[in-house]
Amino acid sequence: MTTIAHISDLHFGCEAPMVREGLLEALHQVNPDLVVISGDVTQQAKHREFQAAHAFLAALPYPHLIVPGNHDLAENNLPERLLFPWKKWRHYISRELEPVKQDEDYVAIGINTARRVSLHPDWSRGSISRLQVARIQRQLRTTPETSLRLLTAHHPFWLPPLFAHRELVKRSQPALQAFQSQVDIILSGHVHLAYAQVTQGVIVSHAGTTLSNRLLLHHTNSFNVIRGDRERLSLELMEWGNQRFRLSSQQVFRRRDDGWHQQH
Ligand SMILES: [Fe+2]
Ligand SMILES: [Fe+2]
């Protein structure tokens, strides 16, 4: 069985120090095999924010896999955004923008969906290219049939109806079709809303903002814990309240011939 902690949208620069300490305590209880961090690590891609993120990652006593979000690109410095978009990321966070972690039980594949420029008026919108989809398919062709297959990308591949005004990843539909029966679960962030839904046989699971004060109305900080294997997965929502993270709800999913289904 694999245990994954999924945290997201840390937004260093807007983080709550007490929640940061509470997260490290909660992760100690969970003792994950891997911590997945699905982007927006900083608020404005400033040096001091990346330094705080670097210190946090250095204090994490677990393997981690991290991908960038739209906030990890400089918003107000166009030359930096256009010419050296990932210089700070590579310096403070990781040489890689699309890391892969694999052991005998799972493969976790990172996708960078943040773009420095876009034809779309909203540059915070994410995109997945045909080349990225092809790379993931190649990786999965060599993955053992029994290994749990996780993807992580900052931007959403599915949105709840109330949040349909937030944009999906560009090319989300062909990507989901390509991932059908190849990918078990996609972990994302961006919306600052925790939700999980099966779409086209794949579990799409979002973490809320784990550390930042950029909270949706009536929401608190949260992260998710995913436990299981290619046959059964449980997804636990851990929410902040009374100065600690506690289990708030749980969903269970099972895989059949036609893909994943939620158990009710
Ligand atoms: Fe965010
Ligand atoms: Fe975002």
Side-chain angles (χ1 to χ4, degrees), residues 8-11 38-43 69-71 154 166 189-192 209 212 214:
S8 194
D9 295 77
L10 309 179
H11 285 288
S38 53
D40 278 2
V41 177
T42 65
Q43 174 58 20
N70 51 296
H71 277 261
H154 178 63
R166 304 294 304 268
H190 188 59
V191 191
H192 296 196
T209 174
S212 84
R214 294 172 53 88

Side-chain angles (χ1 to χ4, degrees), residues 14-35:
C14 293
E15 80 279 22
M18 191 187 282
V19 183
R20 179 193 189 279
E21 294 314 305
L23 174 65
L24 291 173
E25 282 169 29
L27 289 177
H28 181 71
Q29 302 295 322
V30 172
N31 193 26
D33 299 300
L34 179 71
V35 177

Side-chain angles (χ1 to χ4, degrees), residues 117-149:
V117 285
S118 171
L119 293 175
H120 194 279
D122 178 4
W123 285 15
S124 72
R125 187 193 185 196
S127 175
I128 184 167
S129 70
R130 293 175 188 88
L131 280 176
Q132 285 175 303
V133 173
R135 177 183 69 85
I136 294 159
Q137 287 179 304
R138 260 198 318 277
Q139 176 86 38
L140 292 176
R141 272 200 285 276
T142 60
T143 300
E145 188 58 32
T146 53
S147 295
L148 183 65
R149 293 125 179 262

